[in-house]
Amino acid sequence: MPANETAPPVKKKGRRARLIVLVLVLALVAGLGYGAYWSVDGVRASFPQTTGSLKVPGLTGTVDVKRDAHGIPQLYADNDDDLFRAQGFVHAQDRFWEMDVRRHMTSGRLSEMFGSGQVETDAFLRTLGWRQVAQAEFDTKLSPETKKYLQAYADGVNAYLKGKSGKDLSVEHAALKLTDDYRPEQWSPVDSVAWLKAMAWDLRGNMQDEIDRALMATKLSQAQIDELYPPYPFDRNKPIVEGGKVDGGKYTPQGVTGSGSGTGTGSGNGSGGNAVGGQTSTVTGPIGAPTDAPANGLADNVAAQGATVGLRTQLTSLADTLDKIPAILGPNGSGIGSNSWVISGKYTTTGKPLLANDPHLSPQLPSVWYQMGLHCRAVSAQCQYDVAGYTFSGMPGVIIGHNADIAWGMTNLGADVTDLYLEQVKPEGYVYDNKVLPFTTREEVIKIAGGDSKKITVRTTNNGPLVSDRSEELGTVGSRAPVASSAPDRGDGYAVALRWTALDPGKSMDAVFKLDRAKTFDDFRKAAADFEVPSQNLIYADNKGTNGNIGYQAPGRIPVRGQGDGRMPAPGWDSKYAWKGGKDNAGYIPQSEMPWDQNPSRGYIVTANQAVVETGTGAGKYPNLLTTDWGYGARSQRINDLIEAKIKDGGRISTDDMRTMQMDNSSEIAALLTPMLAKIEVSDPGVRAAQKLLDGWNYTQEPDSAAAAYFNAVWRNILKLAFGDKMPKELRIEGSCMSVVGTGTGPADDLAKTVRECGTRDSDSAQPDGGDRWFEVVRRLVKDEKSAWWTSPRTITLPAVTNRDELFARAMRDARWELTAKLGKDQSTWSWGRLHQLTLKNQTIGTEGPGFMRWLLNRGPWDVGGGEATVNATGWNASSGYGVTWVPSMRMVVNLNELDKSRWINLTGASGHAYNAHYTDQTTMWAKGELLEWPFGKEAVEKATVDTLTLKPEGAGS
């Protein structure tokens, strides 16, 4: 899956006085001001009761909460309502601060908690209308059963909140109460549903790529852009599903064997019209002037797709706005993703399938995941669940995990589910097919802690809300855009609208409960049909038959476009570019046509954000367009290779082998470039000494490796010299300024000509980020020693670079002196872990507060191995530095032969309370690649239990 922070960073703007108060409060809470009273009463007051008994209103019977040595709870109840009511209660015990901030974020109400610094974020989120869509889902789409569970969960949260405020809830709430007299409100079912919108936002696909390509067009040619977005290498990196076909409105896998093939139906009547790679679709030259061009080669159509110089300002502003929106799950870059794979029992030591999953998300404290078991004492029609795994605080059910019959995992499919539309606006409305249509409008009032409220008006076209209304710069979009005579009059400018599948109400919450109680592959596929957003790769295993069954399903609401392929912003005034079906939810690829697989002959399935299936026309090609922006398969193919190496000649894979694969640190780009770097002639003795570190290196990025540290520094500098310095400033990291002297070819007086330009992009989304797209770019260019990309202008002290080897030599030099500055002159002390560190930040207060508060609430750093686009994906953005920006947020290995021998780990711990024993008690084990025992059966859970809390009905005896 799933790509991020549990809560958004609190902006500094307008908050200095409030932060000073918070520092003083937290000093007291830490016992630094008023001794034992604040140390005990302030810190421990919010710790949950984990033994004895508590009365919970609404329960009809008792619920046992059994926690193990790491505080992980397993809940036992006699009916579904009691089970989910207890889940809400326990989530609130450990994570209510996280839940409270999250619901304010999803509803655009952060300013109520944190003041004026959050108004801009709130305004954008109100414009998207997550809360309204969640309300519509609850009112019109979800099943009565799901609504009942959501209400029971909300009742459990509210039972915990009853009579509590401030320090009784968390250290953070204590601070808010003393500064603003803040009082948490009651939890509602829609608060839970809205969390799915935040998930979908972070996993929305290629929207950032769409913006980046448009901005690149202001400085680069279309041919150059195409080189930076190469096609997926199907000849080298396998897709998830091989073969298969769509016939008669149904997808049929190649060579399906075993029982339970399933039918997996879904809604949607769109069945064509999506141009895939190599096909021709009608696009436009200057906006409004149709031309024919390959869908993936828009060399003459930049203006049509909104990537003109005139749109540079507004697209930059939109990108800046997106950077400020809280990322719940992680930065949306080309290296982020997740791993999952499943091995048939015929290739395992257990004789039944093994399933592994590790979603790559942003490091945060507490982790976005919460481990939990939900058990009916006796499974029946009244009590249907016996499931354990990873949950989201604020949502009922288990998102990823296993029950007594099946296991499942998720990775982000990466489908293109967003489009930006350039809209021609007038005072009375917007232009659509030569008519002026009225906006749909609504007013929103943003309440601000410690200040006056702010009113905004949200305007929506038939392509979606006008996201440009939330920026002053975007208010006059298109002021210089060249357009053809067939385009509408410029007027006061063009606006930008967002079309996104998640803004249509759906049934994804239904899918969670269906997955939790599924018993067969048929059940699994029917549940997947409801998992509309975010679109995920779902893998499956069960314990049926001789070797069990394994499977895969690609679910999700994927749009069918008219014209265009979603790679660039489209002209919103032309209905030819609209999604088919408009707003009636019909314009999507039918679920029956989505790829799936069961028991493939190879005996395993790997999903790691690579292409789902090879698209195009002809035998074995998939006809529908899912996206053109897949991950490029570095991780997935490495996993494929590891599995193949293990099972060849009759080998079998164990649970520990799965764990070892999850920690694989091998670097594909290092294997490609290191032999070349070793041959570069170097005269500087310091650089030559660093070059020798690469001799005999096996390309693995262990935390104690000096070679890994030096190679990654060289890689970062190659990217900067070859690509980063040629990017428009809107894509380069904020504050990175270039002073290029002369042209490198003219007379000496050219030295007097200096060009200085500074980047403006946020560190998480700056380019080149070094993900596996850049692996593929360099792989394709590296044989061309004279490519223009391998050039760099002269500087005051260095001559111009004119070819690949000269650029590599410059990068090796720059890397040597960069590491000298960062790690010291003595290369024997260098290590990758010293550069590549993980720091866990307590969200909101621990992210941008003063240093003392960060020290109080944050943890780390940890020196870690792994890296960008490796299986052990401790990601880093090469534009901004080496620090860890996303991680395997959890790891699990499910043993379908003996579920109690499954293993799991979380990034942090069960508790969201600073100073609780379970705040970060899993992190060091996580960093070492260790996994905890995962008890599931009654006897195993009982054996692992160290604390038992009994929740009782309100009228029960003491």
Side-chain angles (χ1 to χ4, degrees):
M1 195 162 181
N4 123 344
E5 298 152 359
T6 300
V10 175
K11 302 292 187 286
K12 296 177 182 177
K13 181 181 177 182
R15 301 217 48 240
R16 181 173 180 83
R18 291 169 54 76
L19 289 176
I20 291 173
V21 175
L22 287 173
V23 172
L24 297 175
V25 171
L26 290 173
L28 296 177
V29 171
L32 301 178
Y34 284 90
Y37 171 78
W38 276 100
S39 177
V40 175
D41 186 59
V43 175
R44 297 182 181 175
S46 60
F47 288 6
Q49 179 179 333
T50 59
T51 60
S53 64
L54 286 171
K55 293 182 179 181
V56 176
L59 286 179
T60 61
T62 61
V63 180
D64 292 324
V65 182
K66 297 179 179 292
R67 295 178 183 261
D68 67 9
H70 289 89
I72 300 170
Q74 305 274 351
L75 279 54
Y76 288 86
D78 292 321
N79 61 74
D80 294 339
D81 282 1
D82 282 356
L83 190 61
F84 293 117
R85 184 173 280 103
Q87 185 182 19
F89 187 92
V90 173
H91 272 166
Q93 278 189 308
D94 281 329
R95 299 284 192 92
F96 184 68
W97 169 254
E98 173 190 8
M99 294 164 61
D100 199 15
V101 174
R102 180 181 296 157
R103 66 164 163 181
H104 279 79
M105 187 274 292
T106 57
S107 58
R109 296 171 53 209
L110 289 168
S111 300
E112 295 178 22
M113 297 183 77
F114 302 115
S116 60
Q118 295 297 316
V119 169
E120 185 177 347
T121 296
D122 284 345
F124 189 85
L125 294 173
R126 298 284 186 99
T127 298
L128 294 182
W130 291 357
R131 177 74 184 195
Q132 284 84 357
V133 179
Q135 185 71 57
E137 287 186 358
F138 184 80
D139 291 341
T140 66
K141 293 292 184 179
L142 299 181
S143 69
E145 184 179 55
T146 295
K147 291 183 181 182
K148 183 176 69 169
Y149 295 158
L150 287 165
Q151 187 61 60
Y153 180 91
D155 290 344
V157 175
N158 293 328
Y160 173 75
L161 293 179
K162 187 177 181 180
K164 294 184 177 69
S165 64
K167 63 183 176 60
D168 298 324
L169 295 171
S170 73
V171 166
E172 296 91 340
H173 280 105
L176 282 179
K177 179 182 178 182
L178 291 178
T179 55
D180 287 326
D181 199 28
Y182 174 78
R183 295 286 190 276
E185 63 192 37
Q186 294 283 286
W187 192 266
S188 79
V190 180
D191 291 332
S192 297
V193 178
W195 169 229
L196 289 169
K197 300 302 150 190
M199 288 174 56
W201 177 252
D202 279 0
L203 302 173
R204 64 193 179 272
N206 77 336
M207 183 173 171
Q208 191 67 59
D209 289 325
E210 188 175 339
I211 294 171
D212 288 355
R213 280 189 289 261
L215 291 170
M216 285 180 186
T218 66
K219 189 171 183 179
L220 304 176
S221 70
Q222 187 62 45
Q224 289 173 314
I225 295 172
D226 289 344
E227 286 185 306
L228 300 186
Y229 289 88
Y232 185 88
F234 286 103
D235 59 332
R236 190 175 67 256
N237 295 342
K238 296 177 183 178
I240 297 171
V241 176
E242 298 178 70
K245 62 181 179 179
V246 174
D247 188 17
K250 291 185 179 180
Y251 180 87
T252 304
Q254 185 178 44
V256 173
T257 62
S259 60
S261 60
T263 56
T265 60
S267 62
N269 62 12
S271 60
N274 271 358
V276 297
Q279 292 181 327
T280 298
S281 61
T282 301
V283 291
T284 59
I287 293 175
T291 64
D292 285 339
N296 291 330
L298 305 177
D300 300 319
N301 306 287
V302 173
Q305 303 301 329
T308 63
V309 173
L311 292 179
R312 181 174 183 171
T313 299
Q314 54 267 31
L315 288 171
T316 300
S317 185
L318 177 57
D320 291 344
T321 301
L322 296 179
D323 283 336
K324 295 173 184 177
I325 302 306
I328 299 299
L329 302 177
N332 200 300
S334 64
I336 195 169
S338 304
N339 301 322
S340 70
W341 65 95
V342 60
I343 314 291
S344 168
K346 65 183 179 181
Y347 291 126
T348 68
T349 59
T350 67
K352 290 292 173 66
L354 295 171
L355 184 150
N357 195 191
D358 55 284
H360 305 159
L361 309 174
S362 177
Q364 56 185 288
L365 185 59
S367 167
V368 69
W369 299 109
Y370 184 99
Q371 296 148 290
M372 179 178 273
L374 299 172
H375 306 279
C376 290
R377 294 189 180 100
V379 176
S380 66
Q382 289 73 40
C383 201
Q384 305 174 73
Y385 296 89
D386 187 16
V387 61
Y390 293 87
T391 71
F392 287 135
S393 302
M395 268 181 59
V398 170
I399 307 301
I400 294 174
H402 72 82
N403 57 33
D405 300 288
I406 76 164
W408 68 95
M410 297 185 188
T411 63
N412 194 24
L413 193 150
D416 185 357
V417 296
T418 60
D419 277 338
L420 295 174
Y421 284 91
L422 187 66
E423 303 281 7
Q424 206 280 332
V425 300
K426 296 179 177 294
E428 65 273 22
Y430 61 98
V431 175
Y432 193 73
D433 283 347
N434 299 314
K435 298 178 181 179
V436 178
L437 303 180
F439 293 108
T440 300
T441 63
R442 70 175 188 273
E443 287 192 345
E444 297 277 351
V445 178
I446 300 173
K447 298 179 180 179
I448 305 169
D452 296 330
S453 297
K454 178 178 180 178
K455 183 181 294 186
I456 65 170
T457 299
V458 177
R459 299 188 295 172
T460 301
T461 74
N462 52 16
N463 289 315
L466 291 185
V467 291
S468 55
D469 281 353
R470 302 286 74 86
S471 165
E472 292 181 4
E473 289 180 297
L474 282 167
T476 56
V477 297
S479 59
R480 294 179 295 162
V483 294
S485 58
S486 58
D489 180 68
R490 187 188 317 276
D492 292 330
Y494 299 122
V496 178
L498 171 64
R499 184 80 165 96
W500 178 31
T501 57
L503 298 185
D504 294 334
K507 300 183 292 183
S508 294
M509 199 70 235
D510 284 347
V512 173
F513 299 110
K514 290 182 179 180
L515 279 173
D516 285 359
R517 60 177 184 259
K519 296 182 180 297
T520 66
F521 190 54
D522 279 353
D523 294 340
F524 169 79
R525 291 194 64 213
K526 290 174 182 176
D530 286 340
F531 209 102
E532 297 167 326
V533 290
S535 184
Q536 298 290 287
N537 295 307
L538 293 174
I539 60 167
Y540 168 93
D542 68 34
N543 51 19
K544 310 290 193 300
T546 303
N547 297 126
N549 297 289
I550 64 174
Y552 165 81
Q553 176 69 59
R557 185 187 283 164
I558 317 297
V560 175
R561 293 173 175 84
Q563 293 184 8
D565 62 1
R567 287 172 58 85
M568 292 280 195
W573 51 79
D574 189 342
S575 63
K576 296 185 184 69
Y577 289 85
W579 291 2
K580 291 192 173 182
K583 286 287 186 178
D584 62 0
N585 298 339
Y588 304 109
I589 298 172
Q591 183 64 28
S592 61
E593 292 188 11
M594 293 293 285
W596 63 279
D597 206 354
Q598 186 185 21
N599 295 329
S601 58
R602 64 183 176 275
Y604 61 88
I605 300 171
V606 175
T607 87
N609 315 111
Q610 79 272 38
V612 170
V613 65
E614 187 168 2
T615 56
T617 58
K621 301 292 183 67
Y622 185 70
N624 297 318
L625 177 64
L626 301 178
T627 185
T628 61
D629 290 305
W630 306 110
Y632 281 79
R635 283 179 289 108
S636 62
Q637 193 56 45
R638 175 61 176 171
I639 297 168
N640 275 302
D641 292 345
L642 289 170
I643 294 171
E644 288 287 350
K646 193 70 180 178
I647 65 177
K648 71 177 182 180
D649 302 324
R652 288 180 175 266
I653 293 174
S654 68
T655 301
D656 198 56
D657 290 332
M658 301 284 275
R659 182 197 66 82
T660 300
M661 291 178 192
Q662 288 179 324
M663 294 301 295
D664 183 78
N665 288 328
S666 177
S667 169
E668 179 187 274
I669 195 64
L672 174 68
L673 295 183
T674 298
M676 297 181 186
L677 297 174
K679 296 177 181 178
I680 300 293
E681 293 187 8
V682 177
S683 58
D684 187 307
V687 179
R688 190 163 60 248
Q691 184 184 36
K692 290 182 178 179
L693 291 173
L694 302 177
D695 292 347
W697 181 43
N698 64 357
Y699 319 129
T700 60
Q701 302 169 103
E702 301 299 329
D704 61 354
S705 172
Y710 182 58
F711 173 79
N712 281 312
V714 174
W715 169 237
R716 180 177 183 236
N717 280 279
I718 287 174
L719 291 171
K720 177 181 182 296
L721 292 167
F723 308 105
D725 289 350
K726 299 177 180 68
M727 294 282 177
K729 67 180 186 298
E730 293 85 1
L731 270 68
R732 299 201 315 271
I733 187 169
E734 183 177 6
S736 64
C737 300
M738 296 190 306
S739 295
V740 180
V741 181
T743 63
T745 58
D749 61 2
D750 266 3
L751 291 174
K753 299 177 182 178
T754 300
V755 177
R756 183 171 176 82
E757 193 178 63
C758 296
T760 62
R761 180 61 69 84
D762 180 83
S763 61
D764 282 345
S765 58
Q767 293 294 331
D769 61 18
D772 66 353
R773 172 165 66 87
W774 294 100
F775 290 13
E776 190 64 20
V777 168
V778 171
R779 181 187 297 279
R780 288 169 176 265
L781 291 173
V782 77
K783 294 180 181 179
D784 182 2
E785 299 180 28
K786 300 293 186 179
S787 168
W789 292 109
W790 306 128
T791 62
S792 184
R794 63 176 173 174
T795 67
I796 294 175
T797 58
L798 296 170
V801 169
T802 61
N803 60 55
R804 182 197 67 196
D805 286 355
E806 287 180 2
L807 187 137
F808 281 11
R810 174 77 60 83
M812 292 170 70
R813 172 194 178 277
D814 291 350
R816 170 64 170 94
W817 302 117
E818 180 187 0
L819 293 196
T820 298
K822 292 179 181 297
L823 301 179
K825 186 176 181 179
D826 184 358
Q827 292 177 184
S828 68
T829 68
W830 289 5
S831 70
W832 176 227
R834 287 181 61 200
L835 273 181
H836 191 52
Q837 293 185 323
L838 167 67
T839 298
L840 295 174
K841 297 181 179 180
N842 183 281
Q843 295 308 302
T844 62
I845 294 177
T847 301
E848 292 193 20
F852 173 74
M853 291 165 55
R854 299 184 190 190
W855 174 82
L856 209 61
L857 298 174
N858 298 344
R859 300 292 181 268
W862 285 264
D863 295 354
V864 297
E868 188 69 28
T870 62
V871 181
N872 181 24
T874 54
W876 53 286
N877 187 310
S879 287
S880 57
Y882 305 96
V884 176
T885 56
W886 58 81
V887 294
S889 57
M890 62 80 157
R891 299 187 185 100
M892 75 174 192
V893 178
V894 182
N895 181 336
L896 272 297
N897 182 60
E898 193 170 351
L899 292 171
D900 289 332
K901 291 188 177 180
S902 301
R903 299 290 183 267
W904 61 353
I905 199 77
N906 204 353
L907 174 64
T908 60
S911 180
H913 299 288
Y915 312 107
N916 186 281
H918 306 306
Y919 192 47
T920 57
D921 61 337
Q922 298 185 50
T923 307
T924 298
M925 291 178 287
W926 171 93
K928 294 178 180 178
E930 298 174 358
L931 299 175
L932 296 173
E933 292 185 356
W934 182 353
F936 179 73
K938 292 179 181 179
E939 291 184 6
V941 169
E942 193 61 43
K943 183 178 179 181
T945 297
V946 296
D947 286 334
T948 299
L949 172 68
T950 300
L951 304 179
K952 297 182 176 181
E954 203 165 27
S958 60

